Each structure stands twice: as C-alpha cells, then as structure tokens.
Amino acid sequence: MPKNSKVTQREHSSEHVTESVADLLAHEEPVDYKRSVLNVTGETWDKQKDGEEELDAENRPAWNSKLQYILAQIGYSVGLGNVWRFPYLCQKNGGGAYLVPYLVLLIIIGLPLFFLELAVGQRIRRGSIGVWNYICPRLGGIGYASCLVCFFVGLYYNVIIGWSIFYFFKSFQYPLPWSECPIVKNGSVAIVETECERSSATTYFWYREALDISNSISESGGLNWKMTLCLLVAWSLVGLAMIKGIQSSGKVMYFSSLFPYVVLVCFLVRGLLLRGAVDGIMHMFTPKLDKMLDPQVWREAATQVFFALGLGFGGVIAFSSYNKQDNNCHFDATLVSFINFFTSVLATLVVFAVLGFKANIMNEKCVVENAEKILGYLNTNVLSHDLIPPHVNFSHLTAKDYNEMYRVIMTVKEGHFKELGLDPCLLEDELNKSVQGTGLAFIAFTEAMTHFPASPFWSVMFFLMLINLGLGSMIGTMSGITTPIIDTFKVRKEVFTVGCCIFAFVVGLIFVQRSGNYFVTMFDDYSATLPLTVVVILENIAVAWIYGTKKFMQELTEMLGFRPYQFYYYTWKYVSPICMAVLMTASIIQLGVSPPGYSAWIREEAAEKFLFYPTWAMAILISLIILASLPLPLVFILRQFHLVSDGSNALSVTYKKGRMMKDISNLEDNDETRFILSKVPSETPSPMPTHRSYLGPGSNSPMEMSSAPNGRYGSGYLLASTPESEL
C-alpha cells in the first residue's frame, strides 16, 4: 500500500479510528488491483483489453446539449396516445374529474418510476440489458424482455405511421378525397357507392380506400400494396433517423418534438374560432364527480400514466445513458412528466374544440333531415299543423325550435310516436359519442376537417403532426432495442440498425394485409400491457429491495450533489410496488373478464361487428404474452444454477477514486467483516491459497477464498466490477 495512503497514515497515528473500512477505501488513490500484488484471482491482466474497455466508456456518444436530450425524452414520451387516447379517457371517465386521479397517479407512480429509470441509466451508462445485469444479474431478463416488447410495439406502431403517411399524401388535393362518397356507374345510371351511403364518406375512405379491409381476421385478402409502400417509407425514415445513433436521431428530435406543439397551438387557435368549439370544451371540462369513486377510472388512469411516460420499454434508460454523470436527472424527470401531462391536456382541448364543431354540424344535419320528415307528415295529414308552434320557421329552423316541436309531437302522439321515426337531435348525444385511436384520427377528425376553410392545409398539418409524434416515439422505442444490444454484444451500430429495420419491415408485412388492422388491434391490446407491467414491477423490486433503497439514495446523492426527497424513498420501497401489483392484478382480471375479440368491418352491412378471435389467433395472442415474458424466468433459472455467466466478470474491475464498487455499495451497516473476509455462505471455500494475506493486527486466520462455477472469484477486497463509466 502506498506510504502516503490514508490507511497507512492512520495505522501509524495514535488517533482513535472511527471510520469504517469502506469509508477508508472510498478515499484511496486509484489502484488497479488486476495489476497489483492483491490480484489473487489468478486472472491474467490483459492490457489491450483493459485499454479497450476504458476507451469504449470514454468514447460513449453523448448528447450535444441538454436541450437535445430533453427534446428526445419529450418526443419519446409524448406520442399518439396523448392525442387520441387521453381525450377519449377524459370524456369517458368524468371529464374534468378524470384529471384528478390521473394527476395523483402521475405523482405517486409515474414520476418516481420515471426518475428511477433515468437515474439507473445515467448512473450505469448502459442500455437496459447492461443496467439490470449489473443491478441484479438474476433479474437480467428484465432487459431482454424490454427489448422484445419494444420489438413487438415497434412492429405495429410503425404501421400507424404508414397510415398517416398515406393520408398525408392524399391531403394534397381539393376537395379532400374523403369529403364525399364516390359515384359508381351501374350501366347508364350513376349511383352513390352503397357501402359509403350506408356509413359515411370518411368511414368508407378509411375502411375501403385506405385499408381495403377484409370481413374478418381469418380472411387475409393478400397484401395492400399502397400500405406496403407506406410501411417501407416509414421504416426508411426510422432507419435514417437511427443509423448514427443519437448523433442522427438527436438532430431529428429538434423538429419531430417541437413541430407537434406548433400544430396543436395552431389547431387550438383555429378550433376556438369555430362555431360550437366552446360547447365541446365545456362538455370536456364539466366534471362528473361520481366517476372518481369508480375503481375502473383509477385503473385506466394508472395504465395511461404507465404508457404515456414509456416506462419499462428501455427507451428512457437508453436516452439517459448518454448523459453526463452529474446531470440533474431529477429535474429532467419532473420536467418531462409534467410536459407530458400538459401536452395531453392541450391535445384534449384541441380534440374537443374540433369535435364540438363537428357535433354542431352533425346536429344541424340531424335537424334538417328530421324537419323534412315532419314536413312530409304535415303534407300527408299524418300530423296536424296545430302541433307546430306559430313562431317556427322551417326555412330557418334552429335546434331549439326543433326540440320544442319534438317534445310537443312526442306528447300528443305518445302511442304512435315510435312509428314516426323522429330523432331527438340533442347536441349532448353527439358530444357523448366516444371515439379513440384510429376512429378519432382517421374518421372523426378527418370528417371535421372537411368542414374547415382551406381544409387541405389543415389536413396536411394534422397528419404531418401524427407522423412526427409517431417518429419521436419510434426513435425511443428502437433505442430500447439498439442501445442495449450494441452495448452488450458490441455489434456495429449501422449494420445492426439497418438489419433490424429490414427484418422488422419483413415481419411487419402481416399488418399490411387486408386483415392487417385486426393484427394491429391484437398486438396493441395484448403484446405489451401485461409483460410491461411485470417488467416495471421487477425493476422497482430490483432497485428498492434487492439493490437497496438506502444505497441507491446514497449513490443518487453523490451523483446529483443533493439528496432526493424522502418521498422517493417511500414511493420506491412501498407505494409504487403495491400500486403496480394492484394494476397488474386488475389487468389480469380485465383480460379474463373481457372476451378476447376485435371489431370487424362487415362490408355487406357497412357497420362494425364484434367478433371473437379464432383458435389460431388465440394461440398467437397467448404466444405474444408468453414470449415477451419468457426472458424473465429463463435468465433467472440460468443464472441461479450457474448455467451461464451472470455477466459480472465482463465488467471493469479497476477501482478509481470516488467510484462506488458493486459489492462495496452493497454493504450493510455491520457487514464489514464479510467484506474483508469475502465469506459468502452459499459458496464452498476453495483450497488454501498459495500465499497468506495480512488482515491487520490481531488477526490469526488467513484470507478465505471462494470460487463460483461462473468463474467469479473472491479476493481480499472482493472486487466486483463496475462499468467504466460508473461513479
């Protein structure tokens, strides 16, 4: 030991020693024990390999600026769900009252777990596989499960971007192609397409012109060549954005993250100037307080929080792993979480302003159609003219006048009222028609835009916004695959990215068949929800209960320069695991109660019909859930029984000043004897070493050595490895 070391100075000093061994070691000068006499493992020091590891850590890509990183996290977390899922849940679950459970769950589940993922990624500077191999090798399957889920989600998510690309290019014409039903010729007679006439122009364009959808999932119908080309364009965009890692994707984020906000603000301003917009917004924010007591509302709010922040996918960890060690990730977590929330509220305002306008248009159309029915009944003497109030003018009939007539006729003709076939034409009924997902973006919203002045411009802006929202989320999702694989297996970034995109495009052809929309629904409903919930629970347990919340908080204090609030200690250790366990149980019950099925578009009926999945589709559905969860038990078994290395011997074993070693950081308060002696009860002591090591004054036993089947050996300091980038 160097003469000037603090341990040596204390040994020759008469002062009373109060510091622990771990404290003394933390202040030692950099020593590489592979190169020193303390290397009792018999392991040969490979200078070239060691140099490569250090160079790899030092050359790890980094964000060009803090702004670029924040935009990347915002672009990843703010996605299509903020635009077409959150407004639907808000409308369905009590309007303004829904914001209360959502905000509560965002604070007690979303923010702590988001902060946790940011912190471990930044601390260890590896992708999801490397992070969880380091924290708990037996739970290393978390990283592989995250990669699989990212792959499944990326497969169908890019199909949605492909749909948006199709609509984007179709928007460069006036009038918009979905504004009117097509006319077909039947001999010398021109008639409206029956399927369109029985539904609507936008519904017909979506199901027939865009998807050319089959009647069921069992009817493949062959590839839809238009959507195949759009999917190819979508994967090409993702590949180009990802090919250079964050050096290329980071630059894309400047546009893909900011442009949606420009469009949303423009739509909000334009929407507020539309007739009926206030009705939609008032409907959205009118709280139904009784809904707050419904457990289903809280379950759906928790699920939305969970997916809105992208927890468990590995994208959050991947992005934060390119940060500097002293970056304030707590500030980042808080900022991104609340920007995500306010984006959802902004999108909801836009959606309900536009839907309020659409509801007024549809209500006026209803009034006109039913007024014509009443006029017909008056002319045929089915109804008496005495039933019509004197102030009613049929040439300028308002919704209020119609409702007054409707009530009078319903009262007088009570016995035969149903035979008249009159509709109430209430604005509230139109506003209550819940739409979400593709139904909102490609049917309801497109229909509303046909009534906008300069409708092609707004359509181009809207679908360009969807493309950018999707692209930002896809870059994060693909980073959840590429970063851990490249970190772990050292493959070439460009080759792996291109290969991954090509493979995903080929597999994704299943989604551009005529029945492809039904597979998108299947993957969206079942491929991610349950596996990701399990993944996040295990992430929480690995950090809070296995690695140790106290140790993790201490390392965060060293990394951030301040101690995080105790709030995080209790949420990580107790609140979040319990809430996530309840959510997982509720999700399993929901899967069991809700029959696995999908909404099929029946061409002959021009309507949607709920169908159950056939046996082979059920087999695919179950396989998706099992395959995504399989790495968790598989890696645990392989490492528990030492069938494969736990990965710890692949990490750097150098000890540098201020750096926390894996096993040192795992010391409990009165556990320094085990630290010095390297006694692991579960391991059998190896034969006597070839030399004895000095244990200090008063010691009368040699250092005990232990070996494990996976090749990891105990030394005097039990040096377990840390990544070169770790503090």
Side-chain angles (χ1 to χ4, degrees), residues 350-567:
V350 171
V351 167
F352 275 92
V354 173
L355 291 184
F357 166 69
K358 175 179 173 285
N360 272 267
I361 296 290
M362 299 306 293
N363 197 55
E364 288 176 3
K365 184 179 177 181
C366 176
V367 168
V368 170
E369 289 175 353
N370 283 273
E372 289 177 356
K373 287 183 183 179
I374 293 174
L375 280 173
Y377 293 141
L378 291 173
N379 294 333
T380 55
N381 294 321
V382 174
L383 293 177
S384 169
H385 287 271
D386 296 335
L387 297 177
I388 309 302
H391 64 275
V392 171
N393 183 355
F394 276 90
S395 59
H396 299 286
L397 189 64
T398 64
K400 183 179 178 181
D401 291 339
Y402 172 77
N403 288 331
E404 187 178 347
M405 273 196 309
Y406 179 85
R407 287 195 297 270
V408 171
I409 295 172
M410 185 173 62
T411 303
V412 175
K413 295 285 185 177
E414 186 176 356
H416 306 283
F417 181 74
K418 288 185 179 179
E419 299 172 6
L420 299 176
L422 297 177
D423 298 314
C425 295
L426 297 174
L427 183 63
E428 188 74 13
D429 292 341
E430 287 292 336
L431 290 170
N432 281 330
K433 290 180 179 177
S434 300
V435 284
Q436 65 165 323
T438 54
L440 173 63
F442 299 107
I443 298 177
F445 223 84
T446 51
E447 184 173 352
M449 285 187 295
T450 59
H451 302 288
F452 280 23
S455 55
F457 168 77
W458 293 105
S459 184
V460 167
M461 293 284 281
F462 177 71
F463 289 109
L464 187 57
M465 178 189 73
L466 291 189
I467 292 169
N468 279 277
L469 283 172
L471 189 60
S473 296
M474 270 303 296
I475 288 173
T477 302
M478 290 299 293
S479 295
I481 301 173
T482 58
T483 298
I485 297 296
I486 291 169
D487 283 348
T488 305
F489 300 104
K490 307 300 179 187
V491 295
R492 281 195 62 188
K493 185 188 304 175
E494 294 83 0
V495 174
F496 179 73
T497 301
V498 172
C500 190
C501 290
I502 292 173
F503 179 69
F505 168 72
V506 173
V507 177
L509 292 176
I510 190 176
F511 301 107
V512 289
Q513 305 173 93
R514 290 183 58 204
S515 60
N517 186 48
Y518 305 137
F519 286 97
V520 170
T521 302
M522 176 195 291
F523 273 65
D524 189 35
D525 289 343
Y526 298 102
S527 69
T529 306
L530 193 57
L532 272 186
T533 309
V534 176
V535 162
V536 175
I537 290 174
L538 291 178
E539 285 182 359
N540 200 164
I541 291 172
V543 171
W545 290 93
I546 298 176
Y547 192 78
T549 312
K550 288 183 179 178
K551 293 188 287 288
F552 187 58
M553 291 284 281
Q554 182 182 350
E555 292 192 7
L556 285 181
T557 303
E558 295 175 3
M559 185 171 73
L560 300 176
F562 63 89
R563 186 172 181 81
Y565 300 116
Q566 282 295 105
F567 163 78

Side-chain angles (χ1 to χ4, degrees), residues 146-365:
S146 294
C147 288
L148 276 175
V149 172
C150 281
F151 180 70
F152 291 152
V153 171
L155 283 177
Y156 75 83
Y157 205 89
N158 226 23
V159 175
I160 300 173
I161 298 178
W163 294 341
S164 302
I165 290 171
F166 175 78
Y167 269 81
F168 172 74
F169 284 111
K170 285 289 185 179
S171 298
F172 289 95
Q173 49 188 300
Y174 184 81
L176 291 170
W178 51 81
S179 59
E180 295 177 353
C181 284
I183 304 297
V184 294
K185 286 189 176 181
N186 186 6
S188 59
V189 181
I191 59 172
V192 177
E193 172 66 47
T194 307
E195 185 181 5
C196 183
E197 188 177 26
R198 296 175 65 180
S199 53
S200 69
T202 49
T203 304
Y204 172 82
F205 186 88
W206 166 241
Y207 284 119
R208 193 56 49 213
E209 296 292 333
L211 301 180
D212 192 19
I213 200 165
S214 60
N215 283 356
S216 73
I217 196 171
S218 300
E219 301 174 27
S220 168
L223 289 178
N224 180 339
W225 67 269
K226 293 178 289 188
M227 287 305 168
T228 304
L229 288 176
C230 290
L231 181 62
L232 180 61
V233 172
W235 276 114
S236 300
L237 289 173
V238 172
L240 289 172
M242 293 290 301
I243 196 163
K244 293 292 184 183
I246 63 168
Q247 303 304 324
S248 55
S249 63
K251 293 179 176 64
V252 173
M253 287 298 184
Y254 282 114
F255 182 76
S256 65
S257 297
L258 293 175
F259 180 73
Y261 289 96
V262 175
V263 177
L264 284 173
V265 171
C266 290
F267 261 97
L268 181 60
V269 173
R270 183 69 189 91
L272 291 174
L273 297 176
L274 294 171
R275 177 170 44 88
V278 176
D279 295 327
I281 292 174
M282 289 295 293
H283 176 77
M284 175 256 173
F285 278 112
T286 302
K288 302 177 180 66
L289 298 177
D290 57 307
K291 286 279 189 178
M292 289 178 61
L293 302 176
D294 186 354
Q296 179 73 2
V297 172
W298 289 82
R299 186 189 73 81
E300 292 190 347
T303 305
Q304 179 63 16
V305 166
F306 182 72
F307 284 103
L309 294 174
L311 299 174
F313 284 93
V316 173
I317 293 175
F319 281 161
S320 65
S321 72
Y322 299 116
N323 269 331
K324 295 179 180 178
Q325 287 273 357
D326 58 352
N327 175 61
N328 188 349
C329 55
H330 175 257
F331 171 79
D332 301 341
T334 307
L335 179 67
V336 174
S337 296
F338 283 97
I339 285 178
N340 187 295
F341 171 69
F342 288 121
T343 304
S344 297
V345 174
L346 174 62
T348 303
L349 286 172
V350 171
V351 167
F352 275 92
V354 173
L355 291 184
F357 166 69
K358 175 179 173 285
N360 272 267
I361 296 290
M362 299 306 293
N363 197 55
E364 288 176 3
K365 184 179 177 181

Side-chain angles (χ1 to χ4, degrees), residues 592-608:
V593 171
S594 302
Y598 61 101
S599 292
W601 178 259
I602 309 301
R603 182 170 192 165
E604 294 73 22
E605 300 176 9
E608 289 184 339

